[in-house]
Amino acid sequence: MLKISNAVAGRVAGMSRVAVFIIGFLLLMVQPLVVAASDDYADAVQALNAKNFSAKGAAAEALLEYGDPRSNAILKAMLNGDLYYRKSDDKVFIAASSADGYLITDPLTGEEIGEVGSREVKKISVNNSLRSQLRGALALLNLKHPDASVRLLSIKEMYGEMDEDSVLLMQKVAGQDEDAAVVEAAQTAIALYEMKSDDDAVRIAAIETLSGSLEQEVRNRLADILRKNDDGKYYETDREVTAAAEAAMKAINAKLQFNSVVETTFFGLSLGSVLLLAAIGLAITFGVMGVINMAHGELIMLGAYTTYLVQQMMPNFIDYSLIVAVPAAFIVSGLFGVAIERGIIRHLYGRPLETLLATFGVSLVLQQLVRTTISAQNVAVENPSWMSGSFEVNAALSLTYNRLYIILFAVAVFFLLMMILKKTALGLQVRAVSQNRPMAKAMGIRSDWVDAMTFGLGSGIAGVAGVALSQLTNVGPNMGQSYIIDSFMVVVFGGVGNLWGTLVGSLSLGVANKYLEPWSGAVLAKILVLVFIILFIQKRPRGLFPQKGRAAEN
């Protein structure tokens, strides 16, 4: 008799008894069919343990016909030699090696059964013919997958193993698939197979199809055609084939060079974004207050350590840790900055060399504070999952998500700071003090309060820079020392106290550094940039965008 749960009964309470009877009857009719289908699938899995290889192949084909997502894992386990049967009852399992034998898993449910001894189970053997059949079955399963990226990866894995059957399959994919990348990959696979043809005309047509393709397998095949012997002559005797291969390789190299330029520019912009975050706070304090703050790098370090501590407090929410760490780092570094300004720097205004020595001492104190309270060793800061991996533009170019997000973050911080300085009362007073401090004081502006808030704002942004740097480099007590000199170079090059100059200067120096590194090395590239800045300052002492106002004239 059909039993209906209370929840279901509540939903059908308003139905007539006839409707309920019809629904129950249909359920009773369908249920045996579902159970039968499930039993047939289980029988097909069990048939993989057949005595002969042809029966095993038939069982694999039967699993393929079902289109069940479980078939992928089962056939892959069989191909990799991880499919076993238990000797006591011949039941099939997926097995993984363990200390005491094997850890077996039910292929139908995915549940772990437990450990068994090595003598209790035996591997289901495969031969070369069955192995080839399994690869084809797995390829078919993946080509039917709803995710286009899975289909694309499956086709690329077949590039080196194409045969006539695979070509027919690729032709079908190229004619039916709706994803342009999958269709292009299928056409590439067909052309790679046709490059082995005995007909030179077919080979030339295939090479022309592959002209400009950035796939590594294509470059390898073209390189094989263009191989030369000791006499400098091509192994390939047909001149038209070699001419087509040379043209195709030339087109590929042009694309590779363009992608290399794009990649270098991207890395340069990411370095420039880091320099922007590190220098933008210094540009405010140096420009407004005339303070040479050698502890600016340590304020960056405090922001990075704040990120580490936030992750320690919320280990199960790493993906959200940066959202909490950004305001936390701003507050922590900002408060340290205000304390430094109120405690030390306010007594040294007008004496820049003394502020340099005092803040250098503060930097040593902050480094030792971190070593004592947290650790003298570098600490690990995890990347959230949404910042991990890379965005693949093509086979030769991929952009890492962490650097991409940091570029966007740096630009957002820059424009937010511009809004604060342009649209708020604090920003108006900061600009007034930076342009003419005596006149601003005469107008009733509390310059001491503005100095404290400005130093706190610049220090807070340094802390935010530390959050970004924690996603790119090691977090340790000395990390700030790596960026203080670069930050001063950016500020001087762009123009002291000018945020637009800081933006242009940081991005320019970052890109220039990355273009110099391939042929000069990282250290020499920095030296060349420094020499350039020294020569530039000789011609334009106030930088790219000099500060305006009477204070600038002094």
Side-chain angles (χ1 to χ4, degrees), residues 218-258:
V218 173
R219 282 178 271 167
N220 292 343
R221 296 283 183 87
L222 291 174
D224 288 340
I225 294 176
L226 297 174
R227 282 190 307 117
K228 295 182 179 180
N229 55 28
D230 295 337
D231 297 331
K233 296 181 179 179
Y234 289 116
Y235 284 107
E236 173 61 49
T237 57
D238 190 282
R239 292 185 178 180
E240 292 184 1
V241 173
T242 55
E246 285 179 338
M249 188 64 84
K250 185 177 179 180
I252 289 174
N253 288 334
K255 280 192 174 183
L256 288 175
Q257 186 175 4
F258 174 76

Coordinates of all heavy atoms in Angstrom, one line a residue, residues 218-258:
V218 N 50.9 22.2 -31.6 CA 51.1 22.7 -32.9 C 52.5 23.2 -33.2 O 53.1 22.9 -34.2 CB 50.1 23.9 -33.2 CG1 50.3 24.6 -34.5 CG2 48.7 23.4 -33.1
R219 N 53.1 23.9 -32.2 CA 54.5 24.4 -32.4 C 55.4 23.2 -32.5 O 56.4 23.2 -33.2 CB 54.8 25.3 -31.2 CG 54.2 26.7 -31.3 CD 54.6 27.5 -30.1 NE 53.6 27.4 -29.1 CZ 53.8 27.8 -27.8 NH1 54.9 28.3 -27.5 NH2 52.8 27.7 -26.9
N220 N 55.2 22.1 -31.7 CA 56.0 21.0 -31.7 C 56.0 20.3 -33.1 O 57.0 19.9 -33.7 CB 55.6 20.0 -30.7 CG 55.9 20.5 -29.3 OD1 56.7 21.5 -29.1 ND2 55.2 19.9 -28.3
R221 N 54.8 20.2 -33.7 CA 54.7 19.5 -35.0 C 55.3 20.4 -36.1 O 56.0 19.8 -36.9 CB 53.2 19.3 -35.3 CG 52.4 18.4 -34.4 CD 52.7 16.9 -34.7 NE 51.9 16.1 -33.8 CZ 50.7 15.7 -34.1 NH1 50.1 16.0 -35.3 NH2 50.0 14.9 -33.3
L222 N 55.2 21.7 -36.0 CA 55.8 22.5 -37.0 C 57.3 22.5 -36.9 O 58.1 22.5 -37.8 CB 55.3 24.0 -36.9 CG 53.8 24.2 -37.3 CD1 53.4 25.6 -37.0 CD2 53.6 23.9 -38.7
A223 N 57.8 22.4 -35.6 CA 59.2 22.4 -35.4 C 59.8 21.1 -35.9 O 60.9 21.0 -36.5 CB 59.5 22.5 -33.9
D224 N 59.0 20.0 -35.9 CA 59.5 18.7 -36.5 C 59.6 18.8 -38.0 O 60.6 18.3 -38.5 CB 58.5 17.6 -36.1 CG 58.5 17.2 -34.7 OD1 59.6 17.5 -34.0 OD2 57.5 16.6 -34.2
I225 N 58.7 19.5 -38.6 CA 58.8 19.7 -40.1 C 60.0 20.5 -40.4 O 60.7 20.3 -41.4 CB 57.5 20.3 -40.6 CG1 56.3 19.4 -40.4 CG2 57.6 20.7 -42.1 CD1 55.0 19.9 -40.8
L226 N 60.3 21.5 -39.6 CA 61.4 22.5 -39.9 C 62.8 22.0 -39.3 O 63.7 22.8 -39.3 CB 61.0 23.9 -39.3 CG 59.8 24.5 -40.0 CD1 59.5 25.8 -39.2 CD2 60.0 24.7 -41.4
R227 N 62.9 20.8 -38.9 CA 64.2 20.3 -38.4 C 65.1 20.2 -39.6 O 64.8 19.8 -40.7 CB 64.0 18.9 -37.7 CG 63.4 19.0 -36.3 CD 63.5 17.7 -35.6 NE 62.9 16.6 -36.4 CZ 63.6 15.5 -36.8 NH1 64.9 15.4 -36.6 NH2 63.0 14.6 -37.5
K228 N 66.4 20.5 -39.2 CA 67.5 20.4 -40.3 C 68.5 19.4 -39.8 O 68.7 19.2 -38.7 CB 68.1 21.8 -40.5 CG 67.1 22.9 -41.0 CD 67.8 24.2 -41.2 CE 66.9 25.2 -41.8 NZ 67.5 26.5 -42.0
N229 N 69.2 18.9 -40.9 CA 70.3 18.0 -40.6 C 71.6 18.7 -40.4 O 71.6 20.0 -40.4 CB 70.5 16.9 -41.7 CG 70.6 17.6 -43.1 OD1 71.1 18.7 -43.2 ND2 70.2 16.9 -44.1
D230 N 72.7 18.0 -40.3 CA 74.0 18.7 -40.0 C 74.5 19.6 -41.2 O 75.3 20.5 -41.0 CB 75.1 17.6 -39.8 CG 74.8 16.8 -38.5 OD1 74.1 17.4 -37.6 OD2 75.3 15.7 -38.4
D231 N 73.9 19.3 -42.4 CA 74.3 20.1 -43.5 C 73.4 21.4 -43.7 O 73.6 22.1 -44.6 CB 74.2 19.3 -44.8 CG 75.1 18.1 -44.8 OD1 76.2 18.2 -44.2 OD2 74.8 17.1 -45.4
G232 N 72.5 21.5 -42.7 CA 71.6 22.7 -42.8 C 70.4 22.5 -43.7 O 69.8 23.5 -44.0
K233 N 70.1 21.3 -44.1 CA 69.0 21.1 -45.0 C 67.9 20.5 -44.2 O 68.1 19.8 -43.2 CB 69.4 20.1 -46.1 CG 70.5 20.7 -47.1 CD 70.8 19.7 -48.2 CE 71.9 20.3 -49.1 NZ 72.3 19.3 -50.2
Y234 N 66.6 20.8 -44.7 CA 65.5 20.2 -44.0 C 65.3 18.7 -44.2 O 65.7 18.2 -45.3 CB 64.2 20.9 -44.6 CG 64.0 22.3 -44.2 CD1 64.1 23.3 -45.2 CD2 63.8 22.7 -42.9 CE1 63.9 24.7 -44.8 CE2 63.7 24.0 -42.5 CZ 63.7 25.0 -43.5 OH 63.6 26.3 -43.1
Y235 N 64.9 18.0 -43.2 CA 64.6 16.6 -43.3 C 63.4 16.5 -44.2 O 63.3 15.5 -45.0 CB 64.3 16.0 -42.0 CG 65.5 15.7 -41.2 CD1 65.9 16.5 -40.1 CD2 66.4 14.7 -41.5 CE1 67.0 16.3 -39.3 CE2 67.6 14.4 -40.8 CZ 67.8 15.2 -39.6 OH 69.0 15.0 -38.9
E236 N 62.4 17.4 -44.2 CA 61.3 17.4 -45.0 C 61.7 17.8 -46.4 O 62.3 18.9 -46.6 CB 60.2 18.4 -44.5 CG 59.0 18.6 -45.4 CD 58.3 17.4 -45.6 OE1 57.9 16.7 -44.6 OE2 58.0 17.1 -46.8
T237 N 61.4 17.0 -47.4 CA 61.9 17.2 -48.8 C 61.0 18.1 -49.6 O 61.4 18.7 -50.5 CB 62.1 15.9 -49.5 OG1 60.8 15.1 -49.4 CG2 63.1 15.0 -48.8
D238 N 59.7 18.1 -49.3 CA 58.7 18.9 -50.1 C 58.9 20.4 -49.7 O 58.7 20.8 -48.6 CB 57.3 18.4 -49.8 CG 56.3 19.1 -50.8 OD1 56.0 20.2 -50.6 OD2 55.9 18.4 -51.8
R239 N 59.3 21.2 -50.7 CA 59.5 22.7 -50.4 C 58.2 23.4 -50.1 O 58.2 24.3 -49.3 CB 60.2 23.3 -51.6 CG 61.6 22.8 -51.9 CD 62.2 23.5 -53.0 NE 63.6 23.1 -53.2 CZ 64.4 23.6 -54.2 NH1 63.9 24.6 -55.0 NH2 65.6 23.2 -54.3
E240 N 57.1 23.0 -50.7 CA 55.9 23.7 -50.4 C 55.4 23.5 -48.9 O 54.9 24.4 -48.3 CB 54.8 23.2 -51.4 CG 55.0 23.7 -52.8 CD 53.9 23.3 -53.7 OE1 52.9 22.7 -53.2 OE2 53.9 23.6 -54.9
V241 N 55.7 22.2 -48.5 CA 55.3 21.9 -47.1 C 56.2 22.8 -46.1 O 55.7 23.4 -45.2 CB 55.5 20.4 -46.8 CG1 55.3 20.1 -45.3 CG2 54.5 19.6 -47.6
T242 N 57.5 22.8 -46.4 CA 58.4 23.6 -45.5 C 58.1 25.1 -45.6 O 58.1 25.8 -44.6 CB 59.8 23.3 -45.9 OG1 60.1 23.6 -47.3 CG2 60.2 21.9 -45.6
A243 N 57.7 25.6 -46.8 CA 57.4 27.0 -46.9 C 56.1 27.3 -46.1 O 56.0 28.3 -45.4 CB 57.2 27.3 -48.4
A244 N 55.1 26.4 -46.2 CA 53.9 26.6 -45.4 C 54.2 26.6 -43.9 O 53.6 27.3 -43.1 CB 52.9 25.5 -45.8
A245 N 55.1 25.6 -43.5 CA 55.4 25.5 -42.1 C 56.2 26.7 -41.6 O 55.9 27.2 -40.5 CB 56.3 24.3 -41.8
E246 N 57.1 27.3 -42.4 CA 57.8 28.5 -42.1 C 56.8 29.7 -41.9 O 57.0 30.5 -41.0 CB 58.8 28.8 -43.1 CG 60.1 27.9 -43.1 CD 61.1 28.3 -44.2 OE1 60.6 28.9 -45.2 OE2 62.2 27.9 -44.0
A247 N 55.9 29.8 -42.8 CA 54.9 30.9 -42.7 C 54.0 30.8 -41.5 O 53.8 31.8 -40.8 CB 54.0 30.9 -44.0
A248 N 53.6 29.5 -41.2 CA 52.8 29.3 -40.0 C 53.6 29.6 -38.7 O 53.1 30.2 -37.8 CB 52.3 27.8 -40.0
M249 N 54.9 29.2 -38.7 CA 55.7 29.4 -37.5 C 55.9 30.9 -37.3 O 56.0 31.4 -36.2 CB 57.0 28.6 -37.6 CG 57.8 28.7 -36.3 SD 57.0 27.9 -34.9 CE 57.5 26.2 -35.2
K250 N 56.1 31.6 -38.4 CA 56.3 33.1 -38.4 C 55.1 33.8 -37.8 O 55.2 34.7 -36.9 CB 56.6 33.6 -39.8 CG 57.0 35.1 -39.8 CD 57.3 35.6 -41.2 CE 57.7 37.0 -41.2 NZ 58.0 37.5 -42.6
A251 N 53.9 33.3 -38.2 CA 52.7 33.9 -37.7 C 52.6 33.6 -36.2 O 52.1 34.5 -35.4 CB 51.5 33.4 -38.4
I252 N 52.9 32.4 -35.8 CA 52.8 32.0 -34.4 C 53.8 32.8 -33.5 O 53.5 33.3 -32.4 CB 53.1 30.5 -34.2 CG1 52.0 29.7 -34.8 CG2 53.4 30.1 -32.8 CD1 52.2 28.2 -34.8
N253 N 55.1 33.0 -34.0 CA 56.1 33.8 -33.3 C 55.6 35.2 -33.1 O 55.9 35.8 -32.1 CB 57.4 33.7 -34.0 CG 58.0 32.3 -33.8 OD1 57.8 31.6 -32.9 ND2 58.9 31.9 -34.8
A254 N 55.0 35.8 -34.1 CA 54.5 37.1 -34.0 C 53.4 37.2 -32.9 O 53.4 38.2 -32.1 CB 53.9 37.6 -35.4
K255 N 52.5 36.2 -32.9 CA 51.5 36.2 -31.8 C 52.2 36.0 -30.4 O 51.8 36.7 -29.4 CB 50.5 35.2 -32.1 CG 49.4 35.5 -33.1 CD 48.3 34.5 -33.0 CE 47.2 34.9 -33.9 NZ 46.0 34.0 -33.9
L256 N 53.2 35.2 -30.3 CA 53.9 34.9 -29.1 C 54.5 36.2 -28.6 O 54.5 36.5 -27.4 CB 54.9 33.8 -29.2 CG 54.3 32.4 -29.4 CD1 55.4 31.4 -29.7 CD2 53.5 32.0 -28.1
Q257 N 55.2 36.9 -29.5 CA 55.8 38.2 -29.1 C 54.8 39.2 -28.6 O 55.1 39.9 -27.6 CB 56.6 38.7 -30.3 CG 57.4 39.9 -30.0 CD 58.3 40.4 -31.1 OE1 58.2 39.9 -32.2 NE2 59.1 41.4 -30.9
F258 N 53.7 39.3 -29.3 CA 52.6 40.2 -28.8 C 52.1 39.8 -27.4 O 52.0 40.7 -26.6 CB 51.5 40.2 -29.8 CG 50.3 41.0 -29.4 CD1 50.3 42.4 -29.4 CD2 49.2 40.4 -28.9 CE1 49.2 43.2 -29.0 CE2 48.1 41.1 -28.4 CZ 48.1 42.5 -28.5

